[in-house]
PDB file of all heavy atoms in Angstrom:
ATOM      1  N   TRP A  53      -0.251   0.409  10.489  1.00 87.00           N
ATOM      2  CA  TRP A  53      -1.670   0.502  10.862  1.00 87.00           C
ATOM      3  C   TRP A  53      -1.874   0.259  12.354  1.00 87.00           C
ATOM      4  O   TRP A  53      -2.668   0.940  12.993  1.00 87.00           O
ATOM      5  CB  TRP A  53      -2.505  -0.495  10.065  1.00 87.00           C
ATOM      6  CG  TRP A  53      -2.879  -0.034   8.704  1.00 87.00           C
ATOM      7  CD1 TRP A  53      -2.532  -0.637   7.532  1.00 87.00           C
ATOM      8  CD2 TRP A  53      -3.635   1.123   8.345  1.00 87.00           C
ATOM      9  NE1 TRP A  53      -3.033   0.086   6.482  1.00 87.00           N
ATOM     10  CE2 TRP A  53      -3.726   1.168   6.954  1.00 87.00           C
ATOM     11  CE3 TRP A  53      -4.252   2.130   9.071  1.00 87.00           C
ATOM     12  CZ2 TRP A  53      -4.397   2.163   6.265  1.00 87.00           C
ATOM     13  CZ3 TRP A  53      -4.925   3.137   8.389  1.00 87.00           C
ATOM     14  CH2 TRP A  53      -4.999   3.145   7.012  1.00 87.00           C
ATOM     15  N   ALA A  54      -1.154  -0.704  12.919  1.00 91.00           N
ATOM     16  CA  ALA A  54      -1.309  -1.010  14.340  1.00 91.00           C
ATOM     17  C   ALA A  54      -0.860   0.162  15.210  1.00 91.00           C
ATOM     18  O   ALA A  54      -1.565   0.566  16.138  1.00 91.00           O
ATOM     19  CB  ALA A  54      -0.527  -2.270  14.701  1.00 91.00           C
ATOM     20  N   VAL A  55       0.303   0.720  14.899  1.00 92.00           N
ATOM     21  CA  VAL A  55       0.817   1.841  15.702  1.00 92.00           C
ATOM     22  C   VAL A  55      -0.039   3.084  15.513  1.00 92.00           C
ATOM     23  O   VAL A  55      -0.441   3.730  16.492  1.00 92.00           O
ATOM     24  CB  VAL A  55       2.302   2.122  15.359  1.00 92.00           C
ATOM     25  CG1 VAL A  55       2.780   3.417  15.986  1.00 92.00           C
ATOM     26  CG2 VAL A  55       3.173   0.962  15.812  1.00 92.00           C
ATOM     27  N   ALA A  56      -0.338   3.434  14.263  1.00 89.00           N
ATOM     28  CA  ALA A  56      -1.144   4.633  14.005  1.00 89.00           C
ATOM     29  C   ALA A  56      -2.531   4.492  14.619  1.00 89.00           C
ATOM     30  O   ALA A  56      -3.019   5.410  15.305  1.00 89.00           O
ATOM     31  CB  ALA A  56      -1.251   4.890  12.506  1.00 89.00           C
ATOM     32  N   GLY A  57      -3.162   3.339  14.401  1.00 88.00           N
ATOM     33  CA  GLY A  57      -4.495   3.134  14.965  1.00 88.00           C
ATOM     34  C   GLY A  57      -4.492   3.126  16.482  1.00 88.00           C
ATOM     35  O   GLY A  57      -5.374   3.693  17.115  1.00 88.00           O
ATOM     36  N   GLY A  58      -3.496   2.484  17.079  1.00 88.00           N
ATOM     37  CA  GLY A  58      -3.413   2.440  18.537  1.00 88.00           C
ATOM     38  C   GLY A  58      -3.216   3.813  19.152  1.00 88.00           C
ATOM     39  O   GLY A  58      -3.874   4.170  20.130  1.00 88.00           O
ATOM     40  N   ILE A  59      -2.327   4.601  18.578  1.00 90.00           N
ATOM     41  CA  ILE A  59      -2.076   5.950  19.111  1.00 90.00           C
ATOM     42  C   ILE A  59      -3.305   6.840  18.932  1.00 90.00           C
ATOM     43  O   ILE A  59      -3.714   7.552  19.858  1.00 90.00           O
ATOM     44  CB  ILE A  59      -0.834   6.576  18.445  1.00 90.00           C
ATOM     45  CG1 ILE A  59       0.426   5.840  18.929  1.00 90.00           C
ATOM     46  CG2 ILE A  59      -0.733   8.056  18.739  1.00 90.00           C
ATOM     47  CD1 ILE A  59       1.693   6.222  18.196  1.00 90.00           C
ATOM     48  N   ILE A  60      -3.904   6.795  17.753  1.00 87.00           N
ATOM     49  CA  ILE A  60      -5.083   7.633  17.505  1.00 87.00           C
ATOM     50  C   ILE A  60      -6.236   7.218  18.408  1.00 87.00           C
ATOM     51  O   ILE A  60      -6.924   8.070  18.975  1.00 87.00           O
ATOM     52  CB  ILE A  60      -5.479   7.588  16.014  1.00 87.00           C
ATOM     53  CG1 ILE A  60      -4.432   8.340  15.193  1.00 87.00           C
ATOM     54  CG2 ILE A  60      -6.866   8.175  15.790  1.00 87.00           C
ATOM     55  CD1 ILE A  60      -4.574   8.211  13.704  1.00 87.00           C
ATOM     56  N   GLN A  61      -6.458   5.917  18.575  1.00 85.00           N
ATOM     57  CA  GLN A  61      -7.516   5.449  19.468  1.00 85.00           C
ATOM     58  C   GLN A  61      -7.238   5.871  20.909  1.00 85.00           C
ATOM     59  O   GLN A  61      -8.155   6.270  21.618  1.00 85.00           O
ATOM     60  CB  GLN A  61      -7.658   3.932  19.399  1.00 85.00           C
ATOM     61  CG  GLN A  61      -8.317   3.446  18.144  1.00 85.00           C
ATOM     62  CD  GLN A  61      -9.802   3.712  18.132  1.00 85.00           C
ATOM     63  OE1 GLN A  61     -10.254   4.844  17.976  1.00 85.00           O
ATOM     64  NE2 GLN A  61     -10.572   2.671  18.289  1.00 85.00           N
ATOM     65  N   ASP A  62      -5.986   5.785  21.346  1.00 86.00           N
ATOM     66  CA  ASP A  62      -5.650   6.204  22.709  1.00 86.00           C
ATOM     67  C   ASP A  62      -5.905   7.688  22.914  1.00 86.00           C
ATOM     68  O   ASP A  62      -6.451   8.103  23.940  1.00 86.00           O
ATOM     69  CB  ASP A  62      -4.183   5.889  23.022  1.00 86.00           C
ATOM     70  CG  ASP A  62      -3.945   4.417  23.297  1.00 86.00           C
ATOM     71  OD1 ASP A  62      -4.909   3.728  23.701  1.00 86.00           O
ATOM     72  OD2 ASP A  62      -2.812   3.962  23.115  1.00 86.00           O
ATOM     73  N   LEU A  63      -5.517   8.489  21.959  1.00 86.00           N
ATOM     74  CA  LEU A  63      -5.671   9.940  22.101  1.00 86.00           C
ATOM     75  C   LEU A  63      -7.126  10.390  22.006  1.00 86.00           C
ATOM     76  O   LEU A  63      -7.528  11.339  22.677  1.00 86.00           O
ATOM     77  CB  LEU A  63      -4.837  10.662  21.046  1.00 86.00           C
ATOM     78  CG  LEU A  63      -3.315  10.515  21.181  1.00 86.00           C
ATOM     79  CD1 LEU A  63      -2.612  11.195  20.023  1.00 86.00           C
ATOM     80  CD2 LEU A  63      -2.845  11.072  22.521  1.00 86.00           C
ATOM     81  N   THR A  64      -7.913   9.742  21.181  1.00 82.00           N
ATOM     82  CA  THR A  64      -9.290  10.193  20.970  1.00 82.00           C
ATOM     83  C   THR A  64     -10.303   9.527  21.890  1.00 82.00           C
ATOM     84  O   THR A  64     -11.390  10.066  22.080  1.00 82.00           O
ATOM     85  CB  THR A  64      -9.722   9.969  19.502  1.00 82.00           C
ATOM     86  OG1 THR A  64      -9.529   8.602  19.170  1.00 82.00           O
ATOM     87  CG2 THR A  64      -8.931  10.848  18.572  1.00 82.00           C
ATOM     88  N   SER A  65      -9.977   8.385  22.465  1.00 77.00           N
ATOM     89  CA  SER A  65     -10.958   7.685  23.288  1.00 77.00           C
ATOM     90  C   SER A  65     -10.918   8.090  24.755  1.00 77.00           C
ATOM     91  O   SER A  65     -11.845   7.797  25.494  1.00 77.00           O
ATOM     92  CB  SER A  65     -10.750   6.174  23.182  1.00 77.00           C
ATOM     93  OG  SER A  65      -9.545   5.799  23.799  1.00 77.00           O
ATOM     94  N   GLY A  66      -9.858   8.706  25.184  1.00 72.00           N
ATOM     95  CA  GLY A  66      -9.760   9.116  26.574  1.00 72.00           C
ATOM     96  C   GLY A  66      -9.239   8.023  27.495  1.00 72.00           C
ATOM     97  O   GLY A  66      -9.190   8.210  28.703  1.00 72.00           O
ATOM     98  N   SER A  67      -8.859   6.885  26.946  1.00 69.00           N
ATOM     99  CA  SER A  67      -8.298   5.828  27.785  1.00 69.00           C
ATOM    100  C   SER A  67      -6.829   6.132  28.052  1.00 69.00           C
ATOM    101  O   SER A  67      -6.267   7.069  27.498  1.00 69.00           O
ATOM    102  CB  SER A  67      -8.456   4.460  27.113  1.00 69.00           C
ATOM    103  OG  SER A  67      -7.680   4.401  25.940  1.00 69.00           O
ATOM    104  N   SER A  68      -6.238   5.324  28.895  1.00 72.00           N
ATOM    105  CA  SER A  68      -4.845   5.567  29.214  1.00 72.00           C
ATOM    106  C   SER A  68      -3.985   5.397  27.957  1.00 72.00           C
ATOM    107  O   SER A  68      -4.224   4.511  27.143  1.00 72.00           O
ATOM    108  CB  SER A  68      -4.370   4.618  30.312  1.00 72.00           C
ATOM    109  OG  SER A  68      -4.520   3.286  29.889  1.00 72.00           O
ATOM    110  N   VAL A  69      -2.999   6.252  27.814  1.00 74.00           N
ATOM    111  CA  VAL A  69      -2.158   6.242  26.621  1.00 74.00           C
ATOM    112  C   VAL A  69      -1.348   4.953  26.579  1.00 74.00           C
ATOM    113  O   VAL A  69      -0.720   4.568  27.557  1.00 74.00           O
ATOM    114  CB  VAL A  69      -1.237   7.482  26.594  1.00 74.00           C
ATOM    115  CG1 VAL A  69      -0.291   7.436  25.414  1.00 74.00           C
ATOM    116  CG2 VAL A  69      -2.066   8.753  26.557  1.00 74.00           C
ATOM    117  N   GLY A  70      -1.410   4.280  25.466  1.00 81.00           N
ATOM    118  CA  GLY A  70      -0.689   3.037  25.277  1.00 81.00           C
ATOM    119  C   GLY A  70      -1.563   1.806  25.369  1.00 81.00           C
ATOM    120  O   GLY A  70      -1.141   0.720  24.975  1.00 81.00           O
TER     121      GLY A  70
END
Side-chain angles (χ1 to χ4, degrees):
W53 278 119
V55 170
I59 290 171
I60 289 171
Q61 286 286 73
D62 284 336
L63 294 176
T64 55
S65 69
S67 66
S68 59
V69 176

